[in-house]
Amino acid sequence: MVNYSQKGMQNPMRQYNEKARLLVSCKDQPGIVANVSSALYQIGANITESAQFSTNPTDGMFFMRIAFDHHGAHALTDLNCHLLKLKTSSGMTYRLTDPNQRLRVAIFVSREDHCLMELLWQQRTHMLPVDIAMIISNHDLYKKTAHEFSIPFHYIPITKDTKIDAENAQLRLLESRVDLIVLARYMQILSPQMIEHYPNQIINIHHSFLPAFSGARPYERAYDRGVKIIGATAHYVTDELDAGPIIEQDITRVKHSDDVPSLKKIGRLIEKNVLARAVKWHAEDRILVHNNKTILFT
Amino acid sequence: MVNYSQKGMQNPMRQYNEKARLLVSCKDQPGIVANVSSALYQIGANITESAQFSTNPTDGMFFMRIAFDHHGAHALTDLNCHLLKLKTSSGMTYRLTDPNQRLRVAIFVSREDHCLMELLWQQRTHMLPVDIAMIISNHDLYKKTAHEFSIPFHYIPITKDTKIDAENAQLRLLESRVDLIVLARYMQILSPQMIEHYPNQIINIHHSFLPAFSGARPYERAYDRGVKIIGATAHYVTDELDAGPIIEQDITRVKHSDDVPSLKKIGRLIEKNVLARAVKWHAEDRILVHNNKTILFT
Amino acid sequence: MVNYSQKGMQNPMRQYNEKARLLVSCKDQPGIVANVSSALYQIGANITESAQFSTNPTDGMFFMRIAFDHHGAHALTDLNCHLLKLKTSSGMTYRLTDPNQRLRVAIFVSREDHCLMELLWQQRTHMLPVDIAMIISNHDLYKKTAHEFSIPFHYIPITKDTKIDAENAQLRLLESRVDLIVLARYMQILSPQMIEHYPNQIINIHHSFLPAFSGARPYERAYDRGVKIIGATAHYVTDELDAGPIIEQDITRVKHSDDVPSLKKIGRLIEKNVLARAVKWHAEDRILVHNNKTILFT
Amino acid sequence: MVNYSQKGMQNPMRQYNEKARLLVSCKDQPGIVANVSSALYQIGANITESAQFSTNPTDGMFFMRIAFDHHGAHALTDLNCHLLKLKTSSGMTYRLTDPNQRLRVAIFVSREDHCLMELLWQQRTHMLPVDIAMIISNHDLYKKTAHEFSIPFHYIPITKDTKIDAENAQLRLLESRVDLIVLARYMQILSPQMIEHYPNQIINIHHSFLPAFSGARPYERAYDRGVKIIGATAHYVTDELDAGPIIEQDITRVKHSDDVPSLKKIGRLIEKNVLARAVKWHAEDRILVHNNKTILFT
């Protein structure tokens, strides 16, 4: 049994004043949990949440998320040292995050405001632990709304001819100010260049139950097919349209009497909740991406 | 106002001893409800359930389902006369059914028994108002089960070479004995000839949320795509695979930790309930088909 | 068969320019559907939606909702004449409403704004077919919000001593200006006098799955009981607390790790959607009340 | 950093041939995860699933479930030694279980067979990892069913006068043959003596969404109250009727037109699935009980 009374170990009874999260990925191997939890114990941390997943216990990848209380900057520096050694010895990668460093979000929106309004309201009422740094739109509709929530609004119209310039303008606005882009019913397709700048940092809400009805006009196509349930999907944006890692989905029942406008109205209520959940989980470091799929430590 | 005291009208106060259902389809037109309900009133019927739907009030199709109590065979003959006149004058088509004439069902099954068992149990406990006339399988697995439920079992193996003969053998068994074929995880694709014999009278359960993952191996593909919700779809069988009118769908949440065998187990519980609901609604004359979509009077 | 070519009947082919709804209640009796639909036919109306319900076909109450297109004020006057005769002959009661006369709503709110915001947003985006006449609050928190949506805001503080005066002030504000009161997380219990003024015209959202956890602190009690699902209930307000006719309910799953603040956050999203649906159905005349229960023609 | 190359440690690369589960409870304290995972590492175990929960990180209870692969009996004996030391030093309690030792279940049933049939079918198709040791009933209805599934059936009628004798007969049948009693719509109230023999080892399905409609005739009372959703609850049986720790709940929507027999039919489908999930989780050691609530590591 390990002797934890060795010199230099932090006193775990000291008051905790800081919180942190640790995300770990590596090839699955015996001892990884023991090593990481023992490193946390060495700095006197108290684990408050922990979850792990192996794609395959004998030859797969291992993922872990740990939320813990700690004693401050010095303890965290010590932890980093322990983890760097583990990185060398076991090939694991890790990320330490500070929940007090709130994620900075840019919301992109076009004509429909349901997702925008839900995100703004959830942020204001402390349901969404993020800062909303800016709203960017290719329409001039929500300047007043942005003002009411005291958020900078940038109107950047886009035509086929101005697309590159517009994206460059967007990138200048975002640079070093934003950690996550949320496409809150933003009806423009981002260029690969744009996506490359923010890998697994752009969340889109697609208004169908993917992979059904990917692409344009999903409600119209759902109506034509006569489905009995419609849905919405939040996913990370990749180069392939509507094919990125799925974060969250939800559905609602519809009737034969629901026409396309009715489906759209019903669908909005699903879309906005699905998107808000995905943003919340991202902000809480609950999502890991592997092989174009998400692991959700929710 | 109509004078209902005219000679020959049935006395509505007489005891009702029979039940019937009336299904009506026609081009939408003013007066159709008035005409039909007045015909029912003329025979002293009492409407117990009624539902209607117009695809479009100004230029669409009109559908109606009425369940009613009546005074017996003579009253029904009179009703038929009234309805035939309406048919001539308004172009409406109609169908009168007798709930006491229970639907005769053939269950087709291959290796997996979850849908079969659910249908057998629901039938035995009077949750499914049908008679199960026979079980047909391309495997020899469920003879004992069929025997326990006192239902004839027919083992008809199918290979690529014997497919036509096998279907002919099936058709001979079904002929004039069966009103509805239920493909309860029957893993053979029916030939167009077979489907033609039973238009909108073959219900299949597909183990995905259609139109996602139509065709083979839906759970494997759902796993690969990383969906967060899986589903099942009951539909009428048409010549195009998994593209017939959808009757019912349902879903359940899954996790990143659910592998393919787990998805299959979880999915079974959805499949069997979705299929049983579809069969029940069909048996209760609650489904109308129009333009490859279903109208559900549930 | 009825002869519909009699003199004076409206020509059904004339362009429809008006919409109306008819709600009917009476003791169940043969002919009621025939009589009402024939009255509608006489004025050349076209039925676009119809639903009915009998508590018991042989000795119960009958309820019907019909939405129809008609030719204008004269036609409606004619219909009223027909219906008045039916009222005399069959004891039926009825109500004709005009969808263009939008329901005037007062929103009552205390400290939590989730229901308020959802109603305001759904109203602004035409998802809720009502006019919001005023917001009344016992707190001074949402004046700015009301202003942003251009809605009059009335701050009426309430203490135990001022309750009667405060309600009288509320009644003066409401009088002849409001058809429906929505208690959008309004944390005061209305007096019987207040309730009597608005029978089945006050909708409350209770933050539990009634009848579980009626009364105070439902989320705390749900947490203590260890339920796996929490819910919300929209109901009409009656003299007995949380015991009025239930309009709509919905639920969401929770985990052992959800503490009371977490339950409250999760619950808000259910509450606001359940309340908005109830208000929408009320505004569309889809709710009938009988024996402290609702009949929903949705 | 801990040195894991110390003498005597098992070689983690050796082939795993056994599986086990470890359940831990203790007062929350730093180091508990490190100590337990390090003990597992010492025996060369590979963790395949892990979940933990603290009621309160600063002054609460800590619970953990770990599933792991190991090298056989010797390794497990070593682990037991490590854990016994931890038990002494930290006050933790633990339980090691072997997934190959299948839980032995007795199903108690009265007149309704839906839960019984679902459990039998799920067991037969390997969806439920248990052995069904016997069926006990106060009615003589399901002897044939039991025989078809090759399970001993015991008919023990119960009247008010014979209740004690009947329970004694039941206890003799159960003794040392059964690990879990499942009340699959068993309509007798167990005596405190009976419950005391099987603490947190008796699962009941109650046909309502608890705490609503605890006690008798829940569907009748749900109908009278006019709820829009009905539910079912699986819980451990305690002395207080329907008040034991809730394991799982689920719901389904109902309509104003659903009468009591209809509610009962709809409810059956919820009941049987809820009960089967609860039994599965119990069999997989996924349920811990604390303060009359369950912690579900699902």
Side-chain angles (χ1 to χ4, degrees), chain C residues 46 64 70 74 79 93 108 110 146 179 188 192 194 198 201 209 221 225 253-254 263 281:
Chain C
N46 194 31
M64 185 162 57
H70 64 91
H74 285 293
L79 180 63
T93 62
F108 282 44
S110 292
D179 309 302
Q188 296 286 324
M194 185 91 176
Y198 293 92
Q201 289 167 301
F209 186 88
R221 288 151 64 206
R225 181 62 187 93
R253 291 200 167 267
V254 294
L263 295 186
W281 294 341

PDB file of all heavy atoms in Angstrom, chain C residues 46 64 70 74 79 93 108 110 146 179 188 192 194 198 201 209 221 225 253-254 263 281:
ATOM      1  N   ASN C  46     -67.507  26.039 -44.047  1.00  0.00           N
ATOM      2  CA  ASN C  46     -66.644  24.902 -44.319  1.00  0.00           C
ATOM      3  C   ASN C  46     -65.887  24.542 -43.049  1.00  0.00           C
ATOM      4  O   ASN C  46     -65.107  25.336 -42.534  1.00  0.00           O
ATOM      5  CB  ASN C  46     -65.655  25.207 -45.447  1.00  0.00           C
ATOM      6  CG  ASN C  46     -64.996  23.933 -45.952  1.00  0.00           C
ATOM      7  OD1 ASN C  46     -65.606  22.862 -45.930  1.00  0.00           O
ATOM      8  ND2 ASN C  46     -63.755  24.043 -46.378  1.00  0.00           N
ATOM      9  N   MET C  64     -68.120  19.340 -28.029  1.00  0.00           N
ATOM     10  CA  MET C  64     -67.654  19.406 -29.413  1.00  0.00           C
ATOM     11  C   MET C  64     -66.986  20.747 -29.652  1.00  0.00           C
ATOM     12  O   MET C  64     -67.407  21.781 -29.117  1.00  0.00           O
ATOM     13  CB  MET C  64     -68.822  19.214 -30.378  1.00  0.00           C
ATOM     14  CG  MET C  64     -68.402  19.148 -31.834  1.00  0.00           C
ATOM     15  SD  MET C  64     -69.689  18.414 -32.912  1.00  0.00           S
ATOM     16  CE  MET C  64     -71.055  19.511 -32.579  1.00  0.00           C
ATOM     17  N   HIS C  70     -66.282  30.938 -42.789  1.00  0.00           N
ATOM     18  CA  HIS C  70     -67.630  31.357 -43.157  1.00  0.00           C
ATOM     19  C   HIS C  70     -67.596  32.660 -43.970  1.00  0.00           C
ATOM     20  O   HIS C  70     -66.525  33.204 -44.253  1.00  0.00           O
ATOM     21  CB  HIS C  70     -68.506  31.502 -41.906  1.00  0.00           C
ATOM     22  CG  HIS C  70     -68.034  32.578 -40.969  1.00  0.00           C
ATOM     23  ND1 HIS C  70     -68.486  33.871 -41.051  1.00  0.00           N
ATOM     24  CD2 HIS C  70     -67.162  32.548 -39.949  1.00  0.00           C
ATOM     25  CE1 HIS C  70     -67.900  34.592 -40.093  1.00  0.00           C
ATOM     26  NE2 HIS C  70     -67.087  33.806 -39.409  1.00  0.00           N
ATOM     27  N   HIS C  74     -73.222  38.293 -41.594  1.00  0.00           N
ATOM     28  CA  HIS C  74     -74.594  37.838 -41.858  1.00  0.00           C
ATOM     29  C   HIS C  74     -74.721  36.332 -41.663  1.00  0.00           C
ATOM     30  O   HIS C  74     -75.664  35.847 -41.039  1.00  0.00           O
ATOM     31  CB  HIS C  74     -75.021  38.224 -43.279  1.00  0.00           C
ATOM     32  CG  HIS C  74     -75.330  39.676 -43.406  1.00  0.00           C
ATOM     33  ND1 HIS C  74     -76.403  40.265 -42.786  1.00  0.00           N
ATOM     34  CD2 HIS C  74     -74.688  40.657 -44.071  1.00  0.00           C
ATOM     35  CE1 HIS C  74     -76.416  41.567 -43.068  1.00  0.00           C
ATOM     36  NE2 HIS C  74     -75.388  41.836 -43.845  1.00  0.00           N
ATOM     37  N   LEU C  79     -76.311  31.572 -38.335  1.00  0.00           N
ATOM     38  CA  LEU C  79     -75.902  30.410 -37.547  1.00  0.00           C
ATOM     39  C   LEU C  79     -76.405  30.528 -36.113  1.00  0.00           C
ATOM     40  O   LEU C  79     -76.920  29.563 -35.539  1.00  0.00           O
ATOM     41  CB  LEU C  79     -74.371  30.278 -37.556  1.00  0.00           C
ATOM     42  CG  LEU C  79     -73.807  29.090 -36.765  1.00  0.00           C
ATOM     43  CD1 LEU C  79     -74.266  27.756 -37.351  1.00  0.00           C
ATOM     44  CD2 LEU C  79     -72.286  29.138 -36.712  1.00  0.00           C
ATOM     45  N   THR C  93     -75.663  23.993 -24.695  1.00  0.00           N
ATOM     46  CA  THR C  93     -75.100  25.340 -24.591  1.00  0.00           C
ATOM     47  C   THR C  93     -73.992  25.453 -25.620  1.00  0.00           C
ATOM     48  O   THR C  93     -73.380  24.457 -25.999  1.00  0.00           O
ATOM     49  CB  THR C  93     -74.507  25.599 -23.197  1.00  0.00           C
ATOM     50  OG1 THR C  93     -73.448  24.680 -22.991  1.00  0.00           O
ATOM     51  CG2 THR C  93     -75.567  25.428 -22.114  1.00  0.00           C
ATOM     52  N   PHE C 108     -49.058  37.687 -14.355  1.00  0.00           N
ATOM     53  CA  PHE C 108     -48.657  37.966 -12.967  1.00  0.00           C
ATOM     54  C   PHE C 108     -47.333  37.256 -12.712  1.00  0.00           C
ATOM     55  O   PHE C 108     -47.194  36.061 -13.036  1.00  0.00           O
ATOM     56  CB  PHE C 108     -49.691  37.428 -11.978  1.00  0.00           C
ATOM     57  CG  PHE C 108     -50.922  38.276 -11.826  1.00  0.00           C
ATOM     58  CD1 PHE C 108     -51.576  38.834 -12.919  1.00  0.00           C
ATOM     59  CD2 PHE C 108     -51.459  38.516 -10.559  1.00  0.00           C
ATOM     60  CE1 PHE C 108     -52.727  39.600 -12.771  1.00  0.00           C
ATOM     61  CE2 PHE C 108     -52.605  39.286 -10.395  1.00  0.00           C
ATOM     62  CZ  PHE C 108     -53.248  39.835 -11.500  1.00  0.00           C
ATOM     63  N   SER C 110     -43.674  36.975  -9.952  1.00  0.00           N
ATOM     64  CA  SER C 110     -42.985  37.421  -8.738  1.00  0.00           C
ATOM     65  C   SER C 110     -41.495  37.583  -9.037  1.00  0.00           C
ATOM     66  O   SER C 110     -41.124  38.467  -9.791  1.00  0.00           O
ATOM     67  CB  SER C 110     -43.227  36.453  -7.583  1.00  0.00           C
ATOM     68  OG  SER C 110     -44.585  36.523  -7.197  1.00  0.00           O
ATOM     69  N   ALA C 146     -40.495  44.620 -19.270  1.00  0.00           N
ATOM     70  CA  ALA C 146     -41.816  44.981 -19.794  1.00  0.00           C
ATOM     71  C   ALA C 146     -41.685  46.108 -20.808  1.00  0.00           C
ATOM     72  O   ALA C 146     -42.306  46.082 -21.880  1.00  0.00           O
ATOM     73  CB  ALA C 146     -42.741  45.389 -18.646  1.00  0.00           C
ATOM     74  N   ASP C 179     -58.888  39.017 -20.549  1.00  0.00           N
ATOM     75  CA  ASP C 179     -59.720  37.809 -20.628  1.00  0.00           C
ATOM     76  C   ASP C 179     -59.118  36.629 -19.876  1.00  0.00           C
ATOM     77  O   ASP C 179     -59.803  35.648 -19.604  1.00  0.00           O
ATOM     78  CB  ASP C 179     -59.885  37.384 -22.093  1.00  0.00           C
ATOM     79  CG  ASP C 179     -60.346  38.525 -22.963  1.00  0.00           C
ATOM     80  OD1 ASP C 179     -61.416  39.087 -22.670  1.00  0.00           O
ATOM     81  OD2 ASP C 179     -59.620  38.878 -23.918  1.00  0.00           O
ATOM     82  N   GLN C 188     -48.046  34.468  -4.861  1.00  0.00           N
ATOM     83  CA  GLN C 188     -49.089  34.853  -3.914  1.00  0.00           C
ATOM     84  C   GLN C 188     -50.311  33.984  -4.164  1.00  0.00           C
ATOM     85  O   GLN C 188     -50.619  33.655  -5.311  1.00  0.00           O
ATOM     86  CB  GLN C 188     -49.487  36.324  -4.138  1.00  0.00           C
ATOM     87  CG  GLN C 188     -48.374  37.323  -3.860  1.00  0.00           C
ATOM     88  CD  GLN C 188     -48.135  37.488  -2.374  1.00  0.00           C
ATOM     89  OE1 GLN C 188     -49.080  37.446  -1.587  1.00  0.00           O
ATOM     90  NE2 GLN C 188     -46.882  37.650  -1.976  1.00  0.00           N
ATOM     91  N   PRO C 192     -60.377  33.966  -2.710  1.00  0.00           N
ATOM     92  CA  PRO C 192     -61.568  33.428  -3.389  1.00  0.00           C
ATOM     93  C   PRO C 192     -62.310  34.520  -4.174  1.00  0.00           C
ATOM     94  O   PRO C 192     -62.844  34.246  -5.259  1.00  0.00           O
ATOM     95  CB  PRO C 192     -62.421  32.899  -2.229  1.00  0.00           C
ATOM     96  CG  PRO C 192     -61.435  32.586  -1.153  1.00  0.00           C
ATOM     97  CD  PRO C 192     -60.338  33.603  -1.274  1.00  0.00           C
ATOM     98  N   MET C 194     -61.079  37.057  -5.773  1.00  0.00           N
ATOM     99  CA  MET C 194     -60.355  37.253  -7.044  1.00  0.00           C
ATOM    100  C   MET C 194     -60.670  36.098  -8.014  1.00  0.00           C
ATOM    101  O   MET C 194     -60.940  36.318  -9.196  1.00  0.00           O
ATOM    102  CB  MET C 194     -58.855  37.263  -6.723  1.00  0.00           C
ATOM    103  CG  MET C 194     -57.971  37.571  -7.899  1.00  0.00           C
ATOM    104  SD  MET C 194     -57.674  39.344  -8.020  1.00  0.00           S
ATOM    105  CE  MET C 194     -56.531  39.369  -9.411  1.00  0.00           C
ATOM    106  N   TYR C 198     -62.834  35.436 -12.159  1.00  0.00           N
ATOM    107  CA  TYR C 198     -62.267  34.865 -13.389  1.00  0.00           C
ATOM    108  C   TYR C 198     -62.353  33.337 -13.368  1.00  0.00           C
ATOM    109  O   TYR C 198     -61.344  32.646 -13.338  1.00  0.00           O
ATOM    110  CB  TYR C 198     -60.816  35.342 -13.563  1.00  0.00           C
ATOM    111  CG  TYR C 198     -60.730  36.815 -13.837  1.00  0.00           C
ATOM    112  CD1 TYR C 198     -60.568  37.726 -12.807  1.00  0.00           C
ATOM    113  CD2 TYR C 198     -60.859  37.302 -15.144  1.00  0.00           C
ATOM    114  CE1 TYR C 198     -60.520  39.092 -13.063  1.00  0.00           C
ATOM    115  CE2 TYR C 198     -60.817  38.663 -15.406  1.00  0.00           C
ATOM    116  CZ  TYR C 198     -60.649  39.555 -14.360  1.00  0.00           C
ATOM    117  OH  TYR C 198     -60.615  40.889 -14.628  1.00  0.00           O
ATOM    118  N   GLN C 201     -60.500  31.135 -15.866  1.00  0.00           N
ATOM    119  CA  GLN C 201     -59.792  32.143 -16.656  1.00  0.00           C
ATOM    120  C   GLN C 201     -58.492  32.563 -15.979  1.00  0.00           C
ATOM    121  O   GLN C 201     -57.904  33.586 -16.310  1.00  0.00           O
ATOM    122  CB  GLN C 201     -60.696  33.372 -16.856  1.00  0.00           C
ATOM    123  CG  GLN C 201     -61.860  33.090 -17.811  1.00  0.00           C
ATOM    124  CD  GLN C 201     -62.897  34.183 -17.754  1.00  0.00           C
ATOM    125  OE1 GLN C 201     -63.483  34.468 -16.704  1.00  0.00           O
ATOM    126  NE2 GLN C 201     -63.118  34.826 -18.884  1.00  0.00           N
ATOM    127  N   PHE C 209     -45.210  17.756 -10.441  1.00  0.00           N
ATOM    128  CA  PHE C 209     -46.090  16.868 -11.168  1.00  0.00           C
ATOM    129  C   PHE C 209     -47.292  16.580 -10.271  1.00  0.00           C
ATOM    130  O   PHE C 209     -47.286  15.625  -9.508  1.00  0.00           O
ATOM    131  CB  PHE C 209     -45.301  15.593 -11.469  1.00  0.00           C
ATOM    132  CG  PHE C 209     -46.012  14.628 -12.346  1.00  0.00           C
ATOM    133  CD1 PHE C 209     -45.897  14.717 -13.713  1.00  0.00           C
ATOM    134  CD2 PHE C 209     -46.801  13.628 -11.811  1.00  0.00           C
ATOM    135  CE1 PHE C 209     -46.551  13.830 -14.527  1.00  0.00           C
ATOM    136  CE2 PHE C 209     -47.467  12.738 -12.624  1.00  0.00           C
ATOM    137  CZ  PHE C 209     -47.336  12.838 -13.988  1.00  0.00           C
ATOM    138  N   ARG C 221     -39.092  19.070  -1.640  1.00  0.00           N
ATOM    139  CA  ARG C 221     -39.727  17.814  -1.241  1.00  0.00           C
ATOM    140  C   ARG C 221     -39.446  16.699  -2.261  1.00  0.00           C
ATOM    141  O   ARG C 221     -39.299  15.528  -1.883  1.00  0.00           O
ATOM    142  CB  ARG C 221     -41.226  18.045  -1.067  1.00  0.00           C
ATOM    143  CG  ARG C 221     -41.507  18.885   0.205  1.00  0.00           C
ATOM    144  CD  ARG C 221     -42.768  19.703   0.076  1.00  0.00           C
ATOM    145  NE  ARG C 221     -43.940  18.871  -0.044  1.00  0.00           N
ATOM    146  CZ  ARG C 221     -45.068  19.253  -0.647  1.00  0.00           C
ATOM    147  NH1 ARG C 221     -45.161  20.467  -1.223  1.00  0.00           N
ATOM    148  NH2 ARG C 221     -46.077  18.456  -0.701  1.00  0.00           N
ATOM    149  N   ARG C 225     -37.639  13.167  -1.286  1.00  0.00           N
ATOM    150  CA  ARG C 225     -38.256  11.873  -1.573  1.00  0.00           C
ATOM    151  C   ARG C 225     -37.395  11.017  -2.491  1.00  0.00           C
ATOM    152  O   ARG C 225     -37.567   9.812  -2.588  1.00  0.00           O
ATOM    153  CB  ARG C 225     -39.653  12.079  -2.191  1.00  0.00           C
ATOM    154  CG  ARG C 225     -40.422  10.807  -2.512  1.00  0.00           C
ATOM    155  CD  ARG C 225     -40.688   9.998  -1.245  1.00  0.00           C
ATOM    156  NE  ARG C 225     -41.291   8.696  -1.532  1.00  0.00           N
ATOM    157  CZ  ARG C 225     -40.594   7.574  -1.702  1.00  0.00           C
ATOM    158  NH1 ARG C 225     -39.281   7.592  -1.622  1.00  0.00           N
ATOM    159  NH2 ARG C 225     -41.213   6.431  -1.941  1.00  0.00           N
ATOM    160  N   ARG C 253     -36.202  13.830 -16.576  1.00  0.00           N
ATOM    161  CA  ARG C 253     -35.451  12.937 -15.701  1.00  0.00           C
ATOM    162  C   ARG C 253     -34.434  13.723 -14.876  1.00  0.00           C
ATOM    163  O   ARG C 253     -33.850  14.679 -15.359  1.00  0.00           O
ATOM    164  CB  ARG C 253     -34.695  11.877 -16.511  1.00  0.00           C
ATOM    165  CG  ARG C 253     -35.617  10.889 -17.144  1.00  0.00           C
ATOM    166  CD  ARG C 253     -34.922   9.596 -17.537  1.00  0.00           C
ATOM    167  NE  ARG C 253     -35.955   8.623 -17.833  1.00  0.00           N
ATOM    168  CZ  ARG C 253     -36.434   7.770 -16.952  1.00  0.00           C
ATOM    169  NH1 ARG C 253     -35.953   7.717 -15.736  1.00  0.00           N
ATOM    170  NH2 ARG C 253     -37.396   6.939 -17.289  1.00  0.00           N
ATOM    171  N   VAL C 254     -34.222  13.304 -13.656  1.00  0.00           N
ATOM    172  CA  VAL C 254     -33.159  13.874 -12.839  1.00  0.00           C
ATOM    173  C   VAL C 254     -32.336  12.732 -12.237  1.00  0.00           C
ATOM    174  O   VAL C 254     -32.743  11.571 -12.290  1.00  0.00           O
ATOM    175  CB  VAL C 254     -33.720  14.770 -11.710  1.00  0.00           C
ATOM    176  CG1 VAL C 254     -34.391  15.995 -12.302  1.00  0.00           C
ATOM    177  CG2 VAL C 254     -34.698  14.000 -10.833  1.00  0.00           C
ATOM    178  N   LEU C 263     -32.280  20.932  -9.417  1.00  0.00           N
ATOM    179  CA  LEU C 263     -33.669  20.587  -9.758  1.00  0.00           C
ATOM    180  C   LEU C 263     -34.430  21.838 -10.194  1.00  0.00           C
ATOM    181  O   LEU C 263     -35.211  21.808 -11.154  1.00  0.00           O
ATOM    182  CB  LEU C 263     -34.384  19.946  -8.561  1.00  0.00           C
ATOM    183  CG  LEU C 263     -33.876  18.598  -8.071  1.00  0.00           C
ATOM    184  CD1 LEU C 263     -34.802  18.060  -6.981  1.00  0.00           C
ATOM    185  CD2 LEU C 263     -33.791  17.598  -9.211  1.00  0.00           C
ATOM    186  N   TRP C 281     -53.409  26.744 -25.839  1.00  0.00           N
ATOM    187  CA  TRP C 281     -54.639  25.953 -26.000  1.00  0.00           C
ATOM    188  C   TRP C 281     -55.849  26.745 -25.502  1.00  0.00           C
ATOM    189  O   TRP C 281     -56.913  26.678 -26.115  1.00  0.00           O
ATOM    190  CB  TRP C 281     -54.516  24.626 -25.250  1.00  0.00           C
ATOM    191  CG  TRP C 281     -53.489  23.714 -25.818  1.00  0.00           C
ATOM    192  CD1 TRP C 281     -52.947  23.774 -27.085  1.00  0.00           C
ATOM    193  CD2 TRP C 281     -52.850  22.609 -25.174  1.00  0.00           C
ATOM    194  NE1 TRP C 281     -52.024  22.766 -27.248  1.00  0.00           N
ATOM    195  CE2 TRP C 281     -51.947  22.038 -26.104  1.00  0.00           C
ATOM    196  CE3 TRP C 281     -52.951  22.033 -23.902  1.00  0.00           C
ATOM    197  CZ2 TRP C 281     -51.155  20.921 -25.796  1.00  0.00           C
ATOM    198  CZ3 TRP C 281     -52.170  20.922 -23.605  1.00  0.00           C
ATOM    199  CH2 TRP C 281     -51.281  20.374 -24.539  1.00  0.00           C
TER     200      TRP C 281
END
